[in-house]
Amino acid sequence: MASPFKRNISLTGDTRFTGITLTESKEFAAGFPGIKVALQHTFKEMGALEALGTLSKMNQKDGFDCAGCAWPDPEKPSNLGEYCENGAKALAEEATYEKVDADFFKKYSVEEISTWSDFKIGKSGRLTQPMILREGSIHYEPISWDAAFHAVAQYLKSLESPDEAIFYTSGRSSNEAAFLYGLFVRAFGTNNMPDCSNMCHESSGVALSETLGIGKGSVKLEDFDAAEVIVVMGQNPGTNHPRMLSALEKCKKNGGKIISINPLAEAGLIRFKDPQSLTGITKGTSLTDIHLQVKINEDVALLKLIMKKLAHLENSGKKVFDHHFIETYTQGFDSFLKDLDRHKEDELLERCGIHEDIIDEAVSLLSEKNKIIICWAMGLTQHKNGVDNIKECVNLLLSKGSLGKPGAGTCPVRGHSNVQGDRTVGIMHHVSKELNESIEGVFGFAPPIKEGLDTVKALEAMHEEKAKVFVGLGGNFVSAISDTQYAAEALQNCELTVQISTKLNRSHLVTGKTALILPTLGRSEKDNHNGKDRFLTVENSMGKVHRTKGVLQPKSEHLKSEPEIIGGIAQAYFKNQHPVAWEDLGKDYDGIRQKMSETLKGFESVQKASKGTGYYLPNNVRQLDFSKLKNGRAQFSICNLAAHDLKPHEFLLMTIRSHDQFNTTIYGLNDRYRGVTNERRVLFMNQKDMERFGYNTLDIVDLVSNYDAVERRAQKFLIVPYNIPQGNLGAYFPEANMVVPHNHYADKSNTPISKSIIVHLERSK
């Protein structure tokens, strides 16, 4: 695709097939293969001795937090290592010997690099010095830090309005960096702070805020030990949150049961072979007791059917619902029951596509228990009705009284290490009157009161040339966001794009007329200032704040920390004409934490309390305090069934991760658990659907969606027969993001519909 300023950039990279091999999908996760692969990745990228020494410090009290998922650390971390295969791969990517320096960019143009696969781009290595891609050029060239900060400041000053700038944040940044970033953006004059949670758990935040009064989950890690039933919905922990398997194993050993609800039967929920014990690694633990293989986005139908059946048991004289809890703490139960009566069981059963006997097993189990945890991830949130999916989960927990007690509650499992912390410390496009007043009192300036743009609206603003500067604090925006073609056009309409990054990715190639790369320290690297190693803090998936402190020597002497980079940009913009001493604050983490303690509720003692395994932030649900909600009560919800209206030739496609990736970072070309080796351009399809449409294994097809009369096409996918419900398909992102429309998203949350896209297939030409 040719951009308006004459750069020929490929959005898909190399689409040639890489030599696929298919085997049977696996029946267990981790074990010896997990150990082998983890060590292979780290040894190859950073050497055996450094790898082993560094892994021993990952997720330890005096070490660094994994840059991968946000699963919490136990109070007593394992001496054998508190990391998983995924975490080891994340470390290998960050600590690699490979470097992307000035010579690299002199040799390779952005046009050439863009033709590489995402895997090859990521494997190029660590970014080592500030670089600039000038308008009209196809090669990045070095730039000094001062000149880079000055360039950003000049572009920001040239805007007619602060709202012409977009400030994006990924979940990798620390609390300190995110707090300073949000402070600068507000001082600059806008609330245009889209973040990665807009694309993943925004539906969770909206649903939980409206029903329970807080946009976070309510459980702690120790609740998994006490749970009688854990329901895992729309989630693949064996790949995306592998350390969660240990918590599920403890639940099973304590007599708990696990229900998994997902269109795919994932290996991690079938059997877990704990690599930290001989018995575990050889035999393993069977995890899932009941698997409900629901059709894509029919979770509301399934939950309504389960709750109708529970209501029938209640009406027959069995004590199923916790009426004391309902009457004391909730509102809307009668209306909720009346809504259930509107739906016929046979219609709900047909929609969810599961044999009734299996559903009855789940109903029987749930009817007898009230210490219930429901965990979920993107499989519930990334739909048009994503908010209702979560609210229906809350309905079940409220009816059972499964909140505010040990072993019970909500558990949205966050996909990136500090995505929840970013939101807690102020990264949001919404306006918080309370936070604004606090900022004004502490820092002496009035933040803007106009609501900002989320990821969807920011994309549209850039595409319509209403926003002209994009700054990314981490992440790979063009590959993460939906509608790749539209997103690329949007970014290329900008005058300036800035990426604060550790490694090369496609967002460094799909740029504005001018682009800057500002390289930053990785999570595992020492952050030394004036001879003293500094620490930062993060918040895990269960609302616990703790320290992270790198142990490796930085990959380049030219790297700066994220707070230093933010402070440098802010200082160049404001110079000394602002109440905040930006540059000094960017270097003084203790000073940032002091300001956080004065500004944010729950951070009053962050400097001291973040030691060791850290401390929990306040959570009203744990105290059964719903005073901020209507009538001071938790809210039952009336949720609608999903509406897709597929034509006979159409399918519902969900984008998924392979086992060899984390978010948009591609570690390798294998999906070991699903039996796919050396290929990513695959399409998982039910064998009966293949027969119905005349497809054979490894036939090559294009995925085509058509929303609002706009055809979107993802080319060249190999059909792989798989155990997936009829009418459903699965393909990896970011490759399949080409068919996800930017302008169709979840009601209220604006989360992209990446898990339920209507497509049809065409044979590739």
Side-chain angles (χ1 to χ4, degrees), residues 22 91 159 176 184 236 238 249 312 366-367 417 445 491 536 545 613 623 628:
L22 299 178
L91 172 64
L159 300 177
E176 290 79 0
F184 165 63
N236 177 16
E249 182 183 46
H312 291 330
L366 291 168
S367 71
S417 61
F445 72 88
L491 286 167
L536 295 161
V545 176
T613 57
Q623 281 71 51
K628 291 185 178 181

Side-chain angles (χ1 to χ4, degrees), residues 120-139:
K120 183 177 179 180
I121 292 172
K123 288 297 181 183
S124 298
R126 281 291 299 278
L127 297 162
T128 60
Q129 62 193 105
M131 305 296 294
I132 185 169
L133 180 66
R134 301 186 189 278
E135 184 172 357
S137 175
I138 59 173
H139 286 272

Side-chain angles (χ1 to χ4, degrees), residues 115-183:
T115 65
W116 301 351
S117 67
D118 290 314
F119 173 57
K120 183 177 179 180
I121 292 172
K123 288 297 181 183
S124 298
R126 281 291 299 278
L127 297 162
T128 60
Q129 62 193 105
M131 305 296 294
I132 185 169
L133 180 66
R134 301 186 189 278
E135 184 172 357
S137 175
I138 59 173
H139 286 272
Y140 276 100
E141 57 189 79
I143 186 174
S144 71
W145 277 109
D146 285 345
F149 294 154
H150 178 74
V152 179
Q154 289 306 112
Y155 273 96
L156 292 177
K157 288 178 180 179
S158 72
L159 300 177
E160 294 182 5
S161 164
D163 291 330
E164 290 184 336
I166 306 295
F167 297 89
Y168 174 74
T169 315
S170 87
R172 192 208 63 207
S173 60
S174 64
N175 289 328
E176 290 79 0
F179 178 77
L180 191 63
Y181 193 56
L183 190 69

Side-chain angles (χ1 to χ4, degrees), residues 163-233:
D163 291 330
E164 290 184 336
I166 306 295
F167 297 89
Y168 174 74
T169 315
S170 87
R172 192 208 63 207
S173 60
S174 64
N175 289 328
E176 290 79 0
F179 178 77
L180 191 63
Y181 193 56
L183 190 69
F184 165 63
V185 175
R186 291 179 174 90
F188 173 67
T190 186
N191 284 305
N192 287 350
M193 286 181 278
D195 71 310
C196 59
S197 60
N198 293 156
M199 294 184 275
C200 56
H201 269 293
E202 196 70 42
S203 295
S204 300
V206 172
L208 294 173
S209 295
E210 292 185 356
T211 57
L212 300 177
I214 188 171
K216 304 179 182 183
S218 66
V219 301
K220 299 179 179 180
L221 184 58
E222 49 265 35
D223 286 318
F224 278 68
D225 298 348
E228 296 172 318
V229 180
I230 298 176
V231 183
V232 183
M233 300 185 66

Side-chain angles (χ1 to χ4, degrees), residues 485-653:
Q485 176 79 32
Y486 185 91
E489 293 168 0
L491 286 167
Q492 290 176 324
N493 280 342
C494 290
E495 295 296 323
L496 174 72
T497 52
V498 182
Q499 304 290 343
I500 302 171
S501 311
T502 56
K503 294 196 67 183
L504 191 67
N505 62 51
R506 197 164 293 278
S507 292
H508 301 118
L509 313 173
V510 182
T511 71
K513 295 175 184 177
T514 300
L516 283 165
I517 294 175
L518 306 182
T520 188
L521 293 169
R523 188 72 65 77
S524 61
E525 291 173 312
K526 290 183 179 180
D527 187 348
N528 189 281
H529 179 64
N530 291 335
K532 180 182 178 182
D533 288 336
R534 299 177 288 192
F535 71 88
L536 295 161
T537 64
V538 293
E539 179 185 349
N540 68 32
S541 193
M542 295 178 183
K544 199 174 195 181
V545 176
H546 61 96
R547 298 182 180 186
T548 177
K549 189 176 182 180
V551 298
L552 295 174
Q553 290 300 320
K555 291 300 176 183
S556 166
E557 63 181 3
H558 301 297
L559 302 180
K560 286 185 180 290
S561 71
E562 288 178 332
E564 287 175 329
I565 294 172
I566 297 161
I569 292 173
Q571 183 67 29
Y573 180 82
F574 287 111
K575 298 194 180 295
N576 295 315
Q577 307 301 312
H578 196 271
V580 179
W582 295 101
E583 187 173 25
D584 291 341
L585 194 59
K587 296 175 181 178
D588 182 6
Y589 300 173
D590 289 345
I592 296 176
R593 284 187 285 271
Q594 178 59 40
K595 294 299 183 183
M596 291 167 62
S597 71
E598 297 171 18
T599 309
L600 305 169
K601 285 187 176 180
F603 283 81
E604 291 83 0
S605 57
V606 63
Q607 182 75 9
K608 180 180 179 181
S610 60
K611 291 181 179 180
T613 57
Y615 72 101
Y616 282 104
L617 292 169
N619 189 300
N620 63 286
V621 180
R622 293 172 186 157
Q623 281 71 51
L624 295 177
D625 174 12
F626 305 112
S627 56
K628 291 185 178 181
L629 294 168
K630 184 178 180 181
N631 296 328
R633 291 170 174 265
Q635 304 291 305
F636 276 92
S637 307
I638 306 301
C639 303
N640 295 320
L641 296 172
H644 294 293
D645 193 25
L646 296 180
K647 298 185 176 85
H649 68 290
E650 292 177 330
F651 295 86
L652 209 54
L653 168 75

